[in-house]
């Protein structure tokens, strides 16, 4: 039930099925948002402001300040619209038309200047100048929120790239713009271009952590959790030492995500898609990913508990951080599915040693009630995640009993049928060749081949005619 002090916006959002986080997250908003820069910083503030009633006033005010520091008028309009719905009495709800008009004029002036310079470079036919002109124009459009034109400008750099470093820069620009657009196919395409075996870019070797992070994010957004986990856990640990407050640090990728995000995304995707053996070998014993897990100890503990079959402890840790993850711009759309997959795997692993288990025992093991267990088991069976039956009369989950002897007999019969069919077809072909019904290749006599050389009309195998079939 909505609180009486809760803005009506969040009540409507909850009724519409959108996530609303009523609990305070474990992170401090100031410390959290300082780690990001660029478009993702604004997007994360706006998401927090439109998802958390408790953090909305602070997050939206920060979002207004962030929007006014840049030249993207679209961001400013979006946050003002949100403030008018959530906090209509706030002073920031009044549109700053003077700032908006000034920024529009500055953007237009800068666009015209860059376009004029680019035309001059084209007239001079100097490739390096043309490439830099397209790069400056693409970055300008990117900063002002015109992502379509930004991608076009970056793409036109291709013909003017004369060194491998130019190609790497161009693809990184395209990856960044595609992430901001949400064009995940383009992200994967440009990552693969830099990883192409036929083109080894020495400059790209220093950016393997960024490429893994971008590819993992694209796979996560596409719902491919297993491959996303592989990308995140193989990310080069050099990003851990990056100085997030220094835009010149090439190892930093905080215009998209931080090393802490890689640890969380990789840990959750691994829990949702890997079994206990893989979690132990590929995650906990992975020296590359260990550096990231040290930044988020609770993720490492959750994975350790899962590997040790302490499922309730693992799920308790994840549930305690649910509010934090619902306020993450990339995790929010997938958190429900990720948690469902993790919980389903835990129930499957718990149930393996038993032929049957009562709802009461399952409720105790997973710290829930019997009605919730019944609903969860029903959903798992319908989706094919659990091969079992539910006995509602005795409130028991019963495993499907498989008779090994019956399976052996069925396999033997199927093998015999396949053998009989294969033998029949071979004999039929022999009869057709001996009867002269084979269509010969040009320049080759019928009935002559590696298996039937010197064969005559006489039947060799004691079968008188093909008509017997």
């Amino acid at each position: 039930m909505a609180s009486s002090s809760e803005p009506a916006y969040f009540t409507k959002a909850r009724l519409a099925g959108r996530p609303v986080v009523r609990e305070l997250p474990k992170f401090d908003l100031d410390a959290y948002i300082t780690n990001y820069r660029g478009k993702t910083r604004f997007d994360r503030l706006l998401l927090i402001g439109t998802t958390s009633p408790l953090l909305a006033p602070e997050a939206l005010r920060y979002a207004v300040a962030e929007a006014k520091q840049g030249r993207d008028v679209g961001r400013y309009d979006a946050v003002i619209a949100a403030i008018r719905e959530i906090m209509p009495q706030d002073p920031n709800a009044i549109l700053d038309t003077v700032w908006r008009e000034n920024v529009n004029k500055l953007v237009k002036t800068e666009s015209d200047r860059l376009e004029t310079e680019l035309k001059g470079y084209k007239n001079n036919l100097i490739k390096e100048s043309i490439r830099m002109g397209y790069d400056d124009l693409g970055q300008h459009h990117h900063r002002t929120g015109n992502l379509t034109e930004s991608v076009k400008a970056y793409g036109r750099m291709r013909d003017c790239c004369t060194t491998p470093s130019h190609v790497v820069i161009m693809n990184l620009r395209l990856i960044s713009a595609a992430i901001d657009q949400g064009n995940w196919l383009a992200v994967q395409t440009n990552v693969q271009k830099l990883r192409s075996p036929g083109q080894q870019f020495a400059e790209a070797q220093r950016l393997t952590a960024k490429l893994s992070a971008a590819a993992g994010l694209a796979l996560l957004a596409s719902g491919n959790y297993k491959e996303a986990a592989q990308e995140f856990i193989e990310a080069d640990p050099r990003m851990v030492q990056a100085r997030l407050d220094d835009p010149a640090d090439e190892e930093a990728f905080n215009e998209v995500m931080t090393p802490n995000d890689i640890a969380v995304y990789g840990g959750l995707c691994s829990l949702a898609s890997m079994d206990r053996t893989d979690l132990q070998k590929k995650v906990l014993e992975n020296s590359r990913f260990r550096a990231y897990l040290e930044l988020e100890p609770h993720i490492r503990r959750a994975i350790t508990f899962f590997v040790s079959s302490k499922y309730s402890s693992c799920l308790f840790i994840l549930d305690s951080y649910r509010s934090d993850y619902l306020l993450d711009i990339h995790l929010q759309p997938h958190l429900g599915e990720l948690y469902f997959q993790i919980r389903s795997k835990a129930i499957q692993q718990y149930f393996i040693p038993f032929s049957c288990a009562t709802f009461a025992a399952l409720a105790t093991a997973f710290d829930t009630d019997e009605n919730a267990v019944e609903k969860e088991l029903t959903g798992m069976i319908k989706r094919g995640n659990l091969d079992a039956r539910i006995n509602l009369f005795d409130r028991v989950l019963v495993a499907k009993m498989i008779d090994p002897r019956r399976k052996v007999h069925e396999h033997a019969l199927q093998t015999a049928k396949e053998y009989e069919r294969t033998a029949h077809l071979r004999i039929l072909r022999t009869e057709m060749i001996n009867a002269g019904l084979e269509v010969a290749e040009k320049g080759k006599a019928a009935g002559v081949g590696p298996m039937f050389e010197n064969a005559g009309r006489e039947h060799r195998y004691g079968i008188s005619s093909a008509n017997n079939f």
Side-chain angles (χ1 to χ4, degrees):
M1 190 173 182
S3 169
S4 58
S5 60
E6 181 181 272
Y9 171 87
F10 294 105
T11 305
K12 293 177 181 177
R14 188 181 292 107
L15 292 175
R18 298 197 299 272
V20 175
V21 180
R22 300 184 63 187
E23 300 81 17
L24 272 175
K26 295 183 182 297
F27 61 77
D28 176 73
L29 182 59
D30 287 329
Y32 169 78
I33 209 62
T34 303
N35 293 325
Y36 300 96
R37 59 186 172 89
K39 186 175 183 294
T40 192
R41 180 170 179 162
F42 172 84
D43 290 343
R44 289 173 184 270
L45 284 169
L46 184 60
L47 178 76
I48 293 170
T50 54
T51 305
S52 172
L54 297 175
L55 294 178
E58 187 179 10
L60 291 175
R61 291 186 188 113
Y62 285 166
V64 171
E66 180 68 23
K68 282 194 167 185
Q69 287 179 7
R71 293 186 176 182
D72 188 348
V73 175
R75 295 185 199 173
Y76 180 71
D77 291 344
V79 70
I80 292 300
I83 291 176
R84 285 177 173 176
E85 286 195 72
I86 298 171
M87 307 179 299
Q89 305 302 321
D90 192 273
N92 287 303
I94 301 173
L95 188 68
D96 190 344
T97 54
V98 175
W99 175 88
R100 200 173 181 281
E101 290 174 2
N102 289 337
V103 169
N104 280 329
K105 289 178 182 178
L106 287 172
V107 169
K108 187 178 185 307
T109 302
E110 183 69 7
S111 298
D112 293 341
R113 183 185 69 81
L114 291 172
E115 290 282 0
T116 303
E117 287 184 355
L118 182 58
K119 287 179 181 178
Y121 297 148
K122 288 180 178 179
N123 292 333
N124 294 332
L125 299 177
I126 301 173
K127 279 194 171 184
E128 176 62 12
S129 298
I130 297 172
R131 186 193 68 82
M132 293 179 65
Y134 276 126
D135 191 18
D136 292 341
L137 186 61
Q139 291 189 65
H140 167 71
H141 286 312
H142 199 160
R143 286 191 296 269
T144 57
N146 194 346
L147 297 175
T148 303
E149 292 299 320
S150 175
V151 170
K152 287 181 181 178
Y154 291 147
R156 288 168 183 161
M157 292 168 58
R158 191 180 309 277
D159 295 333
C160 303
C161 292
T162 56
T163 66
S165 62
H166 294 167
V167 178
V168 172
I169 291 171
M170 178 196 68
N171 280 283
L172 285 177
R173 298 270 196 264
L174 288 168
I175 288 170
S176 178
I179 289 174
D180 288 344
Q181 277 186 315
N183 188 350
W184 305 113
L185 180 59
V187 173
Q188 295 183 63
T189 299
N190 285 286
V191 168
Q192 291 306 318
K193 285 180 181 178
L194 292 177
R195 289 176 170 177
S196 175
Q199 298 181 2
Q200 293 294 334
F201 298 107
E203 292 81 358
Q205 300 303 314
R206 297 182 291 103
L207 304 171
T208 52
K210 287 186 177 183
L211 296 181
S212 294
L217 186 60
L219 291 164
L220 169 63
S222 304
N224 194 339
Y225 303 133
K226 187 167 187 177
E227 292 187 19
Q230 293 291 344
E231 291 287 353
F232 287 127
I233 65 179
E234 291 301 323
D236 195 303
R238 67 174 67 194
M239 191 186 290
V240 175
Q241 282 80 38
R243 297 185 300 276
L244 301 182
D245 57 345
D246 184 5
D249 191 341
E250 293 184 355
E251 303 297 342
F253 199 39
N254 56 336
E255 67 272 19
V256 177
M257 67 176 74
T258 64
N260 298 66
D261 293 329
I262 292 180
V264 173
Y265 300 166
L268 291 179
C269 289
S270 298
L271 280 169
S273 60
M274 296 183 183
D275 57 28
R276 290 189 297 162
T277 302
D278 285 343
L279 285 171
Q280 179 66 39
K281 292 181 179 179
K282 296 182 179 180
V283 181
L284 294 179
E285 296 177 5
N286 186 335
S287 58
R288 298 167 71 91
F289 195 57
R290 188 180 302 130
Y292 291 99
L293 284 178
E294 289 175 358
L295 301 175
E296 298 288 339
H298 67 280
I299 290 290
R300 186 181 67 244
R301 290 199 305 272
I303 296 173
T304 303
F305 282 138
F306 194 98
V307 171
S308 304
S309 301
K310 298 177 181 178
Y311 305 116
S312 59
S313 299
C314 169
L315 297 174
F316 175 78
I317 290 174
L318 296 181
D319 285 339
S320 66
Y321 280 85
R322 179 186 286 269
S323 298
D324 295 51
Y325 300 153
L326 282 173
L327 298 177
D328 185 281
I329 192 169
H330 298 299
L331 273 183
Q332 188 189 87
H334 302 275
L335 193 64
E337 180 64 21
L338 284 169
Y339 272 40
F340 177 83
Q341 295 290 348
I342 295 169
R343 195 170 179 85
S344 297
K345 279 181 54 187
I347 293 174
Q348 290 171 12
Q349 296 290 323
Y350 174 86
F351 187 59
I352 284 174
F354 304 104
S355 59
C356 64
T358 63
F359 287 4
L362 289 166
T364 302
F366 291 95
D367 193 23
T368 185
D369 57 82
E370 293 189 25
N371 291 330
V373 166
E374 179 184 338
K375 184 178 179 181
E376 198 164 7
L377 293 175
T378 302
M380 289 175 62
I381 292 172
K382 286 181 177 178
R383 294 179 61 163
N385 292 349
L386 184 64
D387 190 14
R389 293 188 178 93
I390 295 176
N391 182 343
L392 289 177
F393 181 79
D394 296 322
R395 301 189 69 73
V396 172
L397 180 67
V398 182
K400 287 186 178 179
M401 303 302 295
I402 300 174
D403 185 358
R405 180 179 295 181
R406 181 178 177 180
K407 288 191 68 177
V408 171
H409 287 172
E410 289 176 351
H411 180 69
L413 287 172
Q414 183 64 27
T415 303
K417 288 179 180 179
E418 290 177 0
Y419 180 82
E420 182 181 4
R421 180 177 179 275
T422 302
H424 177 80
L425 291 174
R426 287 179 177 176
I427 295 172
L428 179 60
R429 183 174 184 275
T430 303
E431 285 297 320
M432 292 177 68
I433 292 172
N434 288 336
L437 300 176
E438 181 187 22
V439 178
E441 296 179 15
K442 188 176 181 180
K444 182 176 178 181
V448 179
M451 296 178 60
F452 299 99
E453 197 171 356
N454 302 321
R457 292 280 182 180
E458 295 80 17
H459 197 295
R460 296 182 179 183
Y461 301 98
I463 299 176
S464 60
S465 172
N467 295 329
N468 293 336
F469 293 90

